[in-house]
Amino acid sequence: MGSVRWAFRCGSWTPSRSDWLFAARCIQREEKDRIGQFVFAKDAKSAMAGRLLLRRLVCEKMGIPWSEIRLERSPRGKPYLATPVKVSSESDLAWSFNLSHQGDYAVLAAEQGRQVGVDIMKTAMPGCSSVPEFFRIMTRQFTAHEWSAIQSAGLEHQQLAAFYRHWALKESFIKAIGTGLGFNLQRVEFHLPSEPLTQDRVLHQTKMHLDEEEEEDWVFEESLLDADHHVAVALGPADNTCPAPRPPSLLPPTTFTVLSFRELIDSASPLTDEDPTYWDSFKMKAEAPQRQKDTHTST
């Protein structure tokens, strides 16, 4: 049984010219082109980190050489291996993986023999409304039990943290089962443990109720990458073609490892030639916020 939890802090990543161009050479051409279309540098960095995290997983954990990895996207945009790895024994259980990026991090969770979904949320004040108004707009996304837990969490910032914690849990489940926007989020209700969530450990006592019935086959790992970034990992039963793995409730939860850029590209090898214009385009996006700030200052 394998388990991977990796994170990369793309928010504080300021790639050099050589680093950005090397990273671009190490992903598939169509992914490079897609990333190049992002308007904002922060989105391009998050997407690039996600591609590199996924390729590192496939190369290091599934044993496929970097140059032979071929990733495609489902109609819903979820990445998958174009040629799945053959499963021959319980020790070679199929890997499930999922990516998320929000705030300052990109994260990857992967598991053998289980469905997996991951979501990361940064606790931040809503930009265009007060917290009560924001909650009013989002009323239908949570059950009465969940709203009670959120609104009794304390001061506004603590309520926001509880809101995003519940949201990440729901998103991790939705991503694990591969359901899109049509899923009614009120069908899923989370019951949090009384134990507080801290940065030094992973909680896995949270329980999920689906259509008012507790789902004992699902386990949820919750952790804080820092004071503002909450991560939820959903682990559910795989399809019936795989041997039954040891229940995750009997396994110690896996903590996230924050990788440096050097660790991220440890196994990487270039797939395409260097394209100097790719750096020029990214540099313009990265410098745009400063140019706008300078313009506002001078007016």
Side-chain angles (χ1 to χ4, degrees):
M1 291 280 294
S3 183
V4 170
R5 307 286 184 271
W6 290 335
F8 178 71
R9 187 157 193 162
C10 38
S12 59
W13 179 36
T14 53
S16 65
R17 181 182 186 276
S18 60
D19 285 347
W20 186 252
L21 290 180
F22 182 77
R25 295 180 65 197
C26 294
I27 60 175
Q28 290 165 211
R29 188 178 299 278
E30 63 270 23
E31 293 290 353
K32 172 193 164 190
D33 294 341
R34 188 181 68 86
I35 292 171
Q37 292 172 2
F38 282 108
V39 174
F40 300 107
K42 64 181 181 65
D43 296 326
K45 291 193 297 179
S46 295
M48 182 69 79
R51 294 294 93 191
L52 294 172
L53 282 167
L54 189 47
R55 296 187 74 89
R56 184 181 196 260
L57 170 78
V58 175
C59 181
E60 294 190 6
K61 300 300 181 181
M62 302 184 197
I64 301 177
W66 192 281
S67 60
E68 297 177 18
I69 299 170
R70 182 69 192 175
L71 298 167
E72 300 288 353
R73 288 180 177 270
S74 71
R76 296 186 185 277
K78 187 174 182 177
Y80 68 92
L81 272 176
T83 306
V85 180
K86 293 182 179 180
V87 177
S88 57
S89 66
E90 184 171 346
S91 63
D92 286 326
L93 288 171
W95 283 87
S96 174
F97 51 80
N98 198 230
L99 291 161
S100 179
H101 54 79
Q102 205 266 338
D104 298 332
Y105 291 90
V107 294
L108 175 144
E111 201 80 15
Q112 279 186 296
R114 305 289 296 184
Q115 294 181 78
V116 64
V118 63
D119 196 64
I120 180 169
M121 292 300 300
K122 180 179 181 179
T123 300
M125 295 294 288
C128 56
S129 62
S130 66
V131 172
E133 176 64 11
F134 177 59
F135 285 175
R136 186 192 67 77
I137 294 170
M138 303 297 290
T139 297
R140 295 184 180 181
Q141 309 304 323
F142 299 100
T143 67
H145 171 84
E146 290 169 330
W147 276 120
S148 176
I150 291 168
Q151 294 178 317
S152 64
L155 301 176
E156 278 194 347
H157 188 78
Q158 294 167 310
Q159 291 183 35
L160 273 175
F163 172 92
Y164 287 120
R165 180 178 178 181
H166 280 83
W167 186 265
L169 285 163
K170 294 204 178 204
E171 283 293 313
S172 69
F173 173 68
I174 297 301
K175 293 173 73 176
I177 63 176
T179 303
L181 297 175
F183 189 90
N184 180 2
L185 291 179
Q186 288 211 9
R187 291 181 57 197
V188 180
E189 179 177 274
F190 286 93
H191 293 242
L192 307 184
S194 57
E195 186 176 356
L197 188 61
T198 59
Q199 293 184 47
D200 57 351
R201 60 176 307 194
V202 181
L203 290 184
H204 60 99
Q205 292 86 5
T206 293
K207 301 298 181 183
M208 181 184 74
H209 291 222
L210 178 62
D211 297 328
E212 301 183 356
E213 295 289 332
E214 183 175 336
E215 292 290 314
E216 296 182 356
D217 289 338
W218 284 84
V219 171
F220 292 85
E221 297 177 353
E222 296 186 86
S223 55
L224 291 172
L225 293 184
D226 58 29
D228 295 322
H229 289 81
H230 175 271
V231 187
V233 177
L235 298 171
D239 58 59
N240 294 328
T241 61
C242 293
R246 187 182 178 194
S249 59
L250 302 179
L251 298 171
T254 307
T255 58
F256 273 86
T257 299
V258 180
L259 303 177
S260 67
F261 179 70
R262 294 296 158 221
E263 291 170 324
L264 192 59
I265 60 171
D266 238 358
S267 308
S269 59
L271 307 176
T272 59
D273 294 332
E274 186 173 288
D275 176 8
T277 63
Y278 202 71
W279 166 253
D280 297 335
S281 174
F282 173 78
K283 188 179 180 184
M284 287 183 63
K285 296 171 187 176
E287 293 175 348
Q290 184 60 45
R291 287 199 300 270
Q292 292 174 351
K293 182 178 178 181
D294 293 342
T295 300
H296 288 309
T297 303
S298 63
T299 56

